[in-house]
Amino acid sequence: MTPGIRTDSGDVAPQPDDAPGAAFNIAAHLLQRNHAHPARPAFVDDHGSLSYGGLGEQVRRLAAGLRAAGVRREERVLLLMHDNWHWPVAFLGAMYAGIVPVAVNTLLTGDDYAYMLAHSRAQAVLVSEALRPVLRQALQRASHEVHTVLVSRATSPLAEGEHALESWLGGHAPMDAPGATGADDPGFWLYSSGSAMP
């Protein structure tokens, strides 16, 4: 029988050749799709650009760093970050390691983030420097499990448990192989505008 995908009508449509199998890591898949063009720009922001080759390396370094920090497969990390190339590195890096990124709106309050930290049981937070004050409010108000905070483009002194993301990335060799995830494993979490209220 030819493998396929059952449609709403009950027919079986042919399955594409590159459809996910039982073992599948979406971050590794996306990196592999662009592996042939390492010099092409993947992201451009006010701080510069990141090529596809650089993206692959940084994603794998972040994955290795999160694992080294003790974040395990299917555990959550909160992403409270502004829109620059650190965001996709954080998002895909977590997924490459089999860790679940929780991408959150950057315009919420400390109480909202406190709820999300407690509810998601996030083990780490990746945060933009400008959002660090509201994160600190949330960490003080929440009963949370966060043990590591990675600060994107840090400009002020770091507290205990906080690390500059750039040096963190440089301090870890790229992860050799992606986390052992499957097509049905959780990929990422999102909170809707109505779900952040206790």
Side-chain angles (χ1 to χ4, degrees):
M1 183 175 196
T2 303
I5 301 169
R6 190 165 299 280
T7 66
D8 291 339
S9 66
D11 298 330
V12 176
Q15 186 172 1
D17 292 337
D18 62 349
F24 182 72
N25 184 290
I26 185 63
H29 174 75
L30 291 173
L31 295 177
Q32 182 59 39
R33 297 280 292 190
N34 293 285
H35 182 71
H37 310 288
R40 284 189 185 170
F43 296 97
V44 178
D45 63 24
D46 292 342
H47 302 279
S49 64
L50 183 67
S51 67
Y52 280 109
L55 175 66
E57 179 180 341
Q58 297 299 323
V59 161
R60 291 167 52 230
R61 285 181 182 276
L62 183 77
L66 290 174
R67 284 290 189 87
V71 186
R72 296 174 296 183
R73 192 162 72 88
E74 293 193 16
E75 290 185 327
R76 273 74 62 195
V77 295
L78 194 83
L79 272 57
L80 178 55
M81 303 177 75
H82 285 140
D83 190 13
N84 61 61
W85 64 258
H86 280 172
W87 196 98
V89 166
F91 188 81
L92 293 173
M95 294 182 80
Y96 190 90
I99 295 163
V100 180
V102 182
V104 299
N105 187 327
T106 59
L107 301 176
L108 302 179
T109 68
D111 286 339
D112 293 327
Y113 299 130
Y115 169 80
M116 293 172 181
L117 288 169
H119 181 261
S120 69
R121 298 183 60 193
Q123 302 296 301
V125 179
L126 292 99
V127 62
S128 294
E129 168 67 23
L131 298 169
R132 195 154 38 133
V134 72
L135 173 65
R136 285 179 171 169
Q137 292 174 11
L139 291 170
Q140 290 170 359
R141 296 174 187 175
S143 174
H144 62 81
E145 300 178 25
V146 174
H147 52 75
T148 303
V149 175
L150 303 178
V151 183
S152 171
R153 308 194 195 285
T155 57
S156 56
L158 298 167
E160 184 178 353
E162 294 181 340
H163 308 271
L165 178 58
E166 294 86 341
S167 59
W168 178 272
L169 291 170
H172 293 88
M175 191 169 168
D176 289 335
T181 56
D184 292 329
D185 288 343
F188 61 91
W189 278 23
L190 289 176
Y191 284 96
S192 72
S193 59
S195 63
M197 302 308 293

